């Protein structure tokens, strides 16, 4: 044993500096609607700015209408997206239909933007697997097992690389809680080891049901979790749709160019409950904590910016919301008119060639269900 | 024809599928340059290149999750889990993900994944290397679980497994890897994934077994044969689904049955076979169903391994009990 210990390596200093490169979240418009990065702001056309706002209004309307349907008992499981519109619409807008999406259960709006229909989203919630039949759309189903989508996205990214597809990536989402899973690390590390084109999104909304972000890890940022596997990460203001879009688009360009995966942590907030069934945030968080996040609402700042530029009005927004909600009501009708799945349907899709035991079950349920 | 060991028969089968289908991929821990810790994939990277046969980081959930994403993008993955005990790290990828995906996508998307994994006792491995974990997996809808007991079946079944469009857990017995040789036809042939095989015909007693226990059952059968007791031995080959027709046909003839497995007794393959017979063929029985299985302890460490594993003597004892009932 050396006589002098504790003075050779300055662990305290290493720890203190670990997060340094990751702590300046990219921002274009702040929560008051002030443009804080004019150059980046000017890179968007008026049309693009309006389009981002429309997408966020669409997502919020979808949330509100879904909650109504949920209260009416017309849906099953739903994970509210209220508050995460900038994070979700800003990021998904950076991808193309050549990209493979591996969403989790709070990512229905991105799944729909990527090619699934609203009706399919409702069918998934109602528990009808027809909701997962996306045809040729490059999308996986909303993952329930937190983290599984990360290792699968790594595989799809490697598959795209092996297929020799240019300008195509796999992208996936998880939350702050998801970054604690072993599969989170295995996913980013596999993609990095193979230098596969993957973009890993972390929507840090502060809460994993009732467990706060600080309990997940002592790391100051989640973006820095990429470092250990050689994956560059960045933090971005997740309530700023323009910042989210830019960071995600550049992460995608980096990955698509053959540089390996990239990670984007969006700092956002779950305005509502974890799910539509039973969760009550007042049990674990305070109004004082919620207030600044509600003030940072991604729609408020974008509404101000667009109104100042003469590109938006409340009247226009109200009209849009009504249109969207009418569309959602039509989609719900369509979902409700979709034949309910039967046990026979399930059995027939268990194997390509039903096994003798499955065949016997099919016969049993055909008799039962035809009654 | 060449005389090949069980392990080389599998290598030969993998060579066939890699040669036939350019979308097949072999990957896992040490499968590339090293050819696998048992040399099952020896020479395949040299022949097919690093794009088709490659090493991965050391993480089983990652390996099987990777398989799912590769299958999604048009590939036909043949991942290796280095030892079956390590599948504990990847249970979600199997039971929570790949086995359910055909259903999730309304039958429109397939998961043609063959998970190769060695298992089985008697070679004094380190802990968690020899466990018979089939009992954990046979209750997984959407997953086939198969295990060959000889080199001929090993080659034919690995080819069938890879060609199958559903996930297959392909269990390779460690003790059999180099302990037996068969004449193996060159090139492609297949052995079905869902049929049991009568490996020895008989009229007085049926022994149902699989994997290395088939050889133990055959030893018992030979011994009893000298006393003019005629024993039929069935090799299940497929543990899920189970080919009950072959079993029922045999029981109809012999009226007595002993079900043998190397795994612990609780709620597994042997229990399923016994319950199928009890449910559908009990009127053909002249005696209770005999069971031979390992004790319900954890898999033993090396020093007590041979006392723990069911062997021909245990099968003989149970066979005589049932015959004399």
């Amino acid at each position: 044993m050396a006589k002098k210990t504790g003075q050779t390596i300055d662990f305290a200093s290493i720890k203190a500096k670990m997060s340094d490169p990751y702590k300046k979240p990219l921002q274009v418009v702040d929560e008051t609607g002030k443009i804080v990065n004019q150059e980046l702001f000017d890179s968007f056309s008026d049309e693009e700015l309006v389009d981002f706002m429309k997408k966020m209004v669409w997502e919020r309307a979808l949330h509100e209408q879904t909650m109504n349907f949920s209260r009416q008992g017309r849906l099953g499981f739903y994970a509210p997206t209220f508050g995460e519109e900038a994070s979700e619409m800003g990021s998904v807008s950076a991808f193309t239909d050549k990209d493979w999406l591996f969403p989790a259960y709070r990512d229905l709006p991105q799944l729909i933007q990527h090619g699934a229909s609203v009706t399919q989203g409702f069918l998934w919630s109602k528990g009808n697997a027809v909701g997962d039949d996306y045809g040729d759309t490059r999308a996986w189903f909303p993952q329930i097992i937190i983290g599984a989508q990360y290792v699968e996205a790594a595989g799809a990214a490697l598959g795209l690389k092996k297929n020799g597809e240019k300008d195509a990536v796999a992208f996936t989402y998880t939350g702050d809680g998801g970054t604690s899973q072993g599969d989170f690390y295995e996913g980013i590390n596999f993609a990095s080891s193979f230098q596969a084109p993957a973009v890993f999104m972390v929507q840090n909304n502060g809460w994993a049901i009732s467990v706060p972000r600080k309990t997940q890890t002592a790391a100051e940022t989640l973006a820095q979790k990429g470092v250990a596997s050689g994956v560059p990460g960045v933090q971005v203001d997740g309530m700023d749709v323009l910042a989210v879009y830019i960071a995600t688009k550049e992460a995608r360009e980096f990955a698509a160019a053959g540089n390996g995966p990239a990670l984007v942590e969006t700092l956002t907030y779950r305005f509502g409950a974890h799910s539509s069934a039973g969760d009550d945030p007042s049990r674990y968080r305070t109004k004082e904590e919620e207030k600044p996040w509600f003030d940072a609402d991604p729609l408020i700042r974008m509404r101000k910016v667009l109104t100042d530029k003469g590109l938006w009005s409340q009247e226009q927004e109200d009209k849009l919301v009504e249109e969207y909600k009418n569309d959602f009501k039509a989609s719900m009708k369509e979902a409700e008119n979709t034949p309910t799945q039967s046990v026979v349907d399930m059995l027939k899709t268990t194997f390509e060639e039903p096994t003798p035991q499955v065949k016997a079950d099919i016969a049993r349920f055909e008799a039962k269900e035809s009654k | 024809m060449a005389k090949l060991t069980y392990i080389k028969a599998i290598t030969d089968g993998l060579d066939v599928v890699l040669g036939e289908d350019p979308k097949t991929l072999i990957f896992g821990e040490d499968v590339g340059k090293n050819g696998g810790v048992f040399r099952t994939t020896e020479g395949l990277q040299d022949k097919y290149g690093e794009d088709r046969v490659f090493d991965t980081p050391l993480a089983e959930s990652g390996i099987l999750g990777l398989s799912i994403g590769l299958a999604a993008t048009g590939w036909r993955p043949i991942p290796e889990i280095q030892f079956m005990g390590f599948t504990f790290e990847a249970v979600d990828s199997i039971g929570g993900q790949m086995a359910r995906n055909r259903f999730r996508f309304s039958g429109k998307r397939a998961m043609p994944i063959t998970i190769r994994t060695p298992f089985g006792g008697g070679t004094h491995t380190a802990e968690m290397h020899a466990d018979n974990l089939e009992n954990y997996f046979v209750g997984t809808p959407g997953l086939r679980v198969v295990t060959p007991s000889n080199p001929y079946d090993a080659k034919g079944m690995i080819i069938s497994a890879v060609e199958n469009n559903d996930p297959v857990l392909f269990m390779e017995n460690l003790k059999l890897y180099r302990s037996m040789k068969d004449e193996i036809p060159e090139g492609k042939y297949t052995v079905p994934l869902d049929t049991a095989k009568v490996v020895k015909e008989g009229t007085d007693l049926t022994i149902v077994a699989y994997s290395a226990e088939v050889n133990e059952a055959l030893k018992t059968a030979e011994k009893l044969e000298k006393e003019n007791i005629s024993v039929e031995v069935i090799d299940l080959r497929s543990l899920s689904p189970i080919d009950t027709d072959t079993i029922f046909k045999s029981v109809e003839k012999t009226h007595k049955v002993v079900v043998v497995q190397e795994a612990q007794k609780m709620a597994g393959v042997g229990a399923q076979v016994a319950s199928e017979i009890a449910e559908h063929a009990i009127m053909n029985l002249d005696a209770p169903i005999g069971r031979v299985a390992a004790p319900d302890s954890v898999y033993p460490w090396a020093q007590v391994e041979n006392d723990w594993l069911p062997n021909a003597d245990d099968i003989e004892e149970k066979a005589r009990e049932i015959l004399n009932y």
Side-chain angles (χ1 to χ4, degrees):
Chain A
M1 194 74 173
K3 276 183 184 171
K4 283 171 79 176
T5 57
Q7 289 169 30
T8 314
I9 299 162
D10 190 354
F11 282 106
S13 160
I14 294 171
K15 184 177 177 181
K17 290 176 188 163
M18 274 191 300
S19 306
D20 285 356
Y22 302 94
K23 284 197 297 196
K24 283 178 195 151
L26 181 71
Q27 195 178 50
V28 179
V29 180
D30 75 9
E31 59 274 19
T32 66
K34 191 177 136 206
I35 295 161
V36 295
N37 190 323
Q38 193 67 46
E39 193 189 339
L40 286 179
F41 184 84
D42 291 341
S43 69
F44 294 99
S45 68
D46 286 355
E47 199 187 348
E48 285 169 333
L49 294 173
V50 169
D51 189 55
F52 280 122
M53 184 61 181
K54 278 186 175 173
K55 281 179 179 164
M56 291 199 294
V57 169
W58 171 85
E59 178 170 344
R60 182 148 309 172
L62 178 62
H63 161 75
E64 286 169 359
Q65 191 58 48
T66 302
M67 288 303 285
N68 280 343
F69 290 145
S70 204
R71 286 185 204 103
Q72 293 163 5
R74 295 163 84 180
L75 285 173
F77 176 78
Y78 166 64
T81 58
F82 189 24
E84 301 184 37
E85 294 85 356
S87 175
E88 300 197 334
M89 292 299 102
S91 57
V92 76
S93 301
F95 297 97
T96 77
D97 58 9
K98 289 170 80 179
D99 300 332
W100 264 96
L101 167 61
F102 286 75
Y105 49 78
R106 209 178 300 281
D107 306 316
L108 282 178
Q110 300 99 297
L111 182 56
I112 294 164
Q113 289 291 334
H114 197 62
S117 67
V118 174
T119 305
Q120 286 181 313
F122 292 150
L123 283 168
W124 176 79
S125 172
K126 289 166 78 66
N128 188 329
V130 173
D132 290 4
D133 179 6
Y134 311 124
D136 293 334
T137 295
R138 292 183 157 188
W140 218 236
F141 63 93
Q143 183 58 255
I144 295 291
I145 300 299
I146 292 170
Q149 72 275 28
Y150 259 56
V151 283
E152 292 169 2
L158 181 59
L160 290 171
K161 184 176 176 176
K162 285 187 179 296
N163 281 330
E165 293 195 45
K166 301 283 175 229
D167 198 32
V169 305
F171 68 113
T172 185
Y173 291 83
T174 195
D176 38 310
T179 66
S180 299
Q181 286 281 8
D183 273 356
F184 169 84
Y185 178 73
E186 291 185 31
I188 62 174
N189 188 56
F190 269 62
S192 180
S193 170
F194 296 118
Q195 289 293 284
V199 176
F200 295 105
M201 300 298 304
V202 176
Q203 299 197 88
N204 174 1
N205 69 11
W207 293 92
I209 305 188
S210 68
V211 179
R213 152 68 186 84
K214 68 174 180 350
T215 305
Q216 298 299 338
T217 174
E220 283 184 66
T221 72
L222 303 177
Q224 76 197 65
K225 287 202 169 199
V227 175
S229 48
V231 177
V234 66
Q235 261 195 343
V236 56
D237 179 351
M239 307 304 251
D240 177 354
V241 70
L242 304 180
V244 173
Y245 174 76
I246 288 166
T248 310
K249 187 167 178 285
E250 291 183 6
R252 186 196 176 280
E253 280 165 5
F254 177 83
N259 299 305
L263 188 153
V264 178
E265 175 189 3
T266 63
L267 299 171
T268 179
Y269 198 72
R270 197 190 72 210
F271 282 6
H274 162 72
S275 80
S276 57
D279 177 42
D280 173 9
S282 72
R283 288 173 64 86
Y284 49 80
R285 69 190 197 197
T286 62
K287 292 215 169 342
E288 290 70 45
E289 180 197 305
E290 289 172 347
K291 174 82 171 55
W293 283 107
F294 290 156
D295 291 344
D297 186 326
L299 273 69
I300 294 175
R301 70 182 75 175
M302 209 48 191
R303 196 178 284 132
K304 182 169 185 307
V305 167
L306 293 181
T307 308
D308 287 352
K309 283 176 73 85
L311 298 169
W312 197 258
S313 69
Q314 191 60 49
E315 195 187 8
Q316 189 185 344
E317 184 174 328
D318 293 345
K319 200 165 153 257
L320 263 181
V321 169
E322 200 189 325
E323 274 174 34
Y324 290 144
K325 288 190 176 175
N326 284 336
D327 289 348
F328 303 149
K329 285 172 193 164
S331 296
M332 177 52 100
K333 281 252 156 58
E334 198 185 351
E336 287 173 338
N337 289 331
T338 304
T340 315
Q341 278 200 306
S342 66
V343 175
V344 170
D345 294 333
M346 292 191 60
L347 288 162
K348 283 183 174 170
T349 56
T350 301
F351 291 101
E352 183 174 49
E353 290 295 328
T355 62
Q357 284 84 352
V358 171
K359 274 185 195 156
D361 282 335
I362 289 173
R364 184 160 71 94
F365 275 89
E366 266 173 350
K368 219 172 159 175
E369 291 180 332
S370 65
K371 273 181 194 165
Chain B
M1 295 276 249
K3 262 194 168 308
L4 293 184
T5 57
Y6 184 97
I7 194 166
K8 284 300 155 200
I10 294 170
T11 312
D12 198 20
L14 292 172
D15 192 357
V16 169
V17 294
L18 285 170
E20 278 208 335
D21 183 352
K23 298 305 268 187
T24 50
L25 300 172
I26 288 177
F27 52 92
E29 295 152 9
D30 306 295
V31 302
K33 193 169 187 182
N34 200 30
V37 291
F38 294 103
R39 312 289 177 258
T40 322
T41 54
E42 191 166 42
L44 297 177
Q45 189 180 64
D46 282 345
K47 188 165 175 183
Y48 296 99
E50 290 179 25
D51 273 348
R52 303 275 309 280
V53 181
F54 54 95
D55 291 326
T56 65
L58 197 165
E60 286 75 18
S61 184
I63 290 169
L64 296 191
L66 196 79
S67 308
I68 293 166
L70 284 165
T73 48
W75 295 89
R76 189 170 286 269
I78 314 169
E80 176 180 299
I81 299 296
Q82 198 162 69
F83 290 92
M84 195 175 191
F86 307 171
T87 56
F88 278 132
E89 283 281 355
V91 169
D92 174 58
S93 293
I94 301 172
Q97 306 302 328
M98 64 177 77
R100 296 176 191 231
N101 284 342
R102 178 179 290 283
F103 158 71
R104 284 190 177 113
F105 293 114
S106 302
K108 305 279 179 66
R109 286 181 185 170
M111 289 278 108
I113 299 167
T114 300
I115 305 166
R116 293 180 38 250
T117 193
F119 78 107
T123 61
H124 303 308
T125 58
E127 194 189 5
M128 301 293 300
H129 285 60
D131 291 53
N132 290 250
L133 298 186
E134 63 272 20
N135 291 351
Y136 285 87
F137 293 106
V138 288
T140 306
L143 177 74
R144 289 178 181 273
V145 183
V146 302
T147 186
S149 71
N150 59 72
Y152 181 87
D153 284 353
K155 178 176 171 184
M157 285 168 71
I158 191 68
I159 294 171
S160 294
V162 174
E163 289 185 342
N164 194 279
N165 287 327
D166 288 313
V168 180
L169 184 60
F170 189 89
M171 299 166 56
E172 304 172 356
N173 192 290
L174 279 169
K175 199 175 169 182
L176 300 182
Y177 263 165
R178 290 187 170 81
S179 64
M180 60 194 303
K181 280 187 175 180
D182 277 346
E183 290 289 345
I184 301 295
E186 274 173 37
K188 184 178 173 177
Y189 68 90
T190 58
V191 169
L193 289 183
D194 50 9
T195 53
K197 187 183 179 190
V198 177
V199 289
K200 185 193 162 300
E201 290 192 26
T203 53
D204 298 329
L205 172 74
T206 300
I207 301 178
V208 180
Y210 59 93
S211 196
E213 294 293 343
V214 172
N215 293 334
E216 298 300 306
L218 285 170
K219 281 185 212 162
T220 302
E222 275 164 36
K223 194 167 174 190
L224 294 174
E225 205 81 7
K226 288 172 189 151
E227 300 170 28
N228 286 324
I229 300 166
S230 167
V231 178
E232 180 144 305
V233 177
I234 294 176
D235 175 3
L236 281 179
R237 299 198 292 200
S238 173
L239 311 184
S240 183
I242 288 171
D243 174 11
T244 50
D245 285 353
T246 300
I247 297 167
F248 296 161
K249 212 175 286 173
S250 178
V251 169
E252 209 173 301
K253 182 170 63 173
T254 63
H255 309 293
K256 288 180 173 166
V257 62
V258 171
V259 184
V260 183
Q261 67 184 27
E262 188 178 298
Q264 293 90 333
K265 196 173 185 183
M266 178 72 181
V269 174
Q272 184 63 28
V273 170
S275 93
E276 291 284 351
I277 296 168
E279 190 178 354
H280 300 288
I282 199 161
M283 302 310 277
N284 288 320
L285 289 182
D286 289 344
I289 299 163
R291 287 196 62 193
V292 177
D296 282 314
S297 72
V298 296
Y299 190 90
W301 290 12
Q303 288 192 352
V304 288
E305 191 178 19
N306 288 343
D307 296 332
W308 186 89
L309 288 166
N311 59 25
D313 292 342
D314 300 314
I315 300 171
E316 184 189 335
E317 191 185 333
K318 182 56 73 178
R320 288 188 189 281
E321 182 192 321
I322 299 301
L323 283 161
N324 297 328
Y325 180 80

